[in-house]
Amino acid sequence: MTTTRLELDEGLIEALRRSHRVVVLTGAGVSAESGVPTFRDAQTGLWARYDPEQLATPEAFRRDPELVWRWYLWRRELVEAAQPNPGHVALAELEARLPGLVLVTQNVDGLHRRAGSRRVIELHGDLTRNRCVSCSRSSDGPFDLAPGVPRCAVCGDLLRPDVVWFGEMLPAAAMAEATAAARASDAFLSVGTSSLVFPAAALPYEALTGGATVVEVNPQPTPLTPRVHHAVHGPAGVALPALFAAVWPAV
Ligand code: BJW
Ligand code: ZN
């Protein structure tokens, strides 16, 4: 494994230059430089006394839907006020230069699409959408909790955020597409994720099994780090523009 502190290693650049089927998996760290707290840092301010792993569950929603909604509405406000950062922009610009790029995200903040990425596989849903707990009809848009937890216009049951909570299945088609792309990839980049949450955390191992060059971009080590071919220790908003400019310069 090579470790790079933003002087990009020639072996890494060469391996990526030879790659056409490139998969990038992103996590909350890619939005950190936009001011969106990472999932495991999201207990800031008013929410410091709650554990996100206790709020992002169907059990928490059944127990106290209003509490869970308050947490999500607070996060919606943060995300709506945030802007895509140079990491999101570098990925969006790469889409035009690298037709074989597959962008897979665990993020629910929509910042890849707002940066201009058109093909994004979203594994954990979208924080800005609502979905009925019974009939699954989805709806957009803000609401006020003052009259109580919002209800479905069709069947009258509770609306919930349209995200994937612990213990729930990921959208099957999205997961199948991401798994097939990881298996078939020449290069797989794991960016800004703690690599703790499955099944998304299994994707780089699929890529390793398929013979891909696996690269991690993260300021901190993760359980994946010992298995990758190249670890770039730095923030995504600096590392991705530098890496892509070195490997796939704009013509
Ligand atoms: C930077 C940076 C900068 C900072 N630049 N980087 C197999 C083994 C063990 C457990 C399981 C297993 N299979 C299933 C499970 C159970 C569970 C699981 O994985 N639990 C683990 C905690 C062990 N998985 C599930 O329940 C999944 N469902 C499932 O598998 O269904 C089948 C099944 C059910 C029941 C039993 C068995 C099977 C569902 C997982 C859904 C996850 N949903 C969430 C919430 C989404 C909605 C919301 O946001 O509220 O998704 S959890 C949360 O974690 C969120 C994230 O997408 C996800 C990943 O987090 P991420 O993105 O990695 O963020 P962080 O905060 O963890 O890390 C940030 C990283 O950025 C850090 O490394 C920083 O260093 C770095 N960083 N600044 C680059 N500038
Ligand atoms: Zn309904």
Side-chain angles (χ1 to χ4, degrees):
M1 185 197 36
T2 67
T3 295
T4 307
R5 291 191 188 277
L6 291 185
E7 312 93 49
L8 298 168
D9 179 79
E10 265 311 309
L12 163 60
I13 292 172
E14 279 308 312
L16 291 183
R17 271 195 195 133
R18 286 194 302 272
S19 303
H20 299 287
R21 285 171 300 188
V22 176
V23 175
V24 180
L25 171 68
T26 64
V30 87
S31 297
E33 290 151 88
S34 295
V36 180
T38 60
F39 193 78
R40 279 154 193 83
D41 289 343
Q43 326 90 303
T44 50
L46 281 180
W47 296 99
R49 62 203 167 98
Y50 296 102
D51 174 358
E53 290 192 15
Q54 301 300 317
L55 286 173
T57 68
E59 294 75 26
F61 190 72
R62 274 196 292 276
R63 201 166 45 238
D64 193 343
E66 191 170 331
L67 173 73
V68 172
W69 262 122
R70 284 196 191 288
W71 188 55
Y72 278 95
L73 292 182
W74 169 71
R75 291 175 57 205
R76 264 186 197 179
E77 277 178 25
L78 277 178
V79 161
E80 277 162 10
Q83 295 302 323
N85 68 54
H88 298 111
V89 173
L91 281 162
E93 289 176 355
L94 189 61
E95 195 177 83
R97 304 211 289 281
L98 195 63
L101 177 70
V102 177
L103 176 57
V104 183
T105 190
Q106 300 167 81
N107 296 346
V108 296
D109 56 28
L111 285 171
H112 285 304
R113 266 181 285 106
R114 281 172 58 196
S117 286
R118 295 204 193 160
R119 297 187 305 271
V120 188
I121 302 177
E122 290 178 329
L123 295 179
H124 292 164
D126 180 341
L127 176 72
T128 65
R129 277 195 314 254
N130 316 317
R131 166 160 64 84
C132 172
V133 294
S134 291
C135 73
S136 291
R137 190 187 143 107
S138 73
S139 59
D140 286 318
F143 54 79
D144 187 355
L145 272 176
V149 171
R151 289 189 173 268
C152 173
V154 176
C155 76
D157 212 337
L158 295 181
L159 291 180
R160 56 166 281 180
D162 193 3
V163 297
V164 182
W165 283 327
F166 285 112
E168 295 184 319
M169 301 300 287
L170 273 64
M175 192 58 208
E177 197 184 344
T179 304
R183 267 185 209 148
S185 63
D186 309 315
F188 185 102
L189 278 64
S190 175
V191 183
T193 172
S194 57
S195 294
L196 289 172
V197 177
F198 286 83
L203 292 172
Y205 297 94
E206 296 284 356
L208 283 168
T209 305
T213 298
V214 176
V215 182
E216 183 175 61
V217 177
N218 198 314
Q220 303 295 331
T222 76
L224 177 67
T225 312
R227 301 292 308 280
V228 302
H229 297 99
H230 303 274
V232 180
H233 291 300
V238 177
L240 294 184
L243 185 61
F244 297 165
V247 179
W248 298 287
V251 280

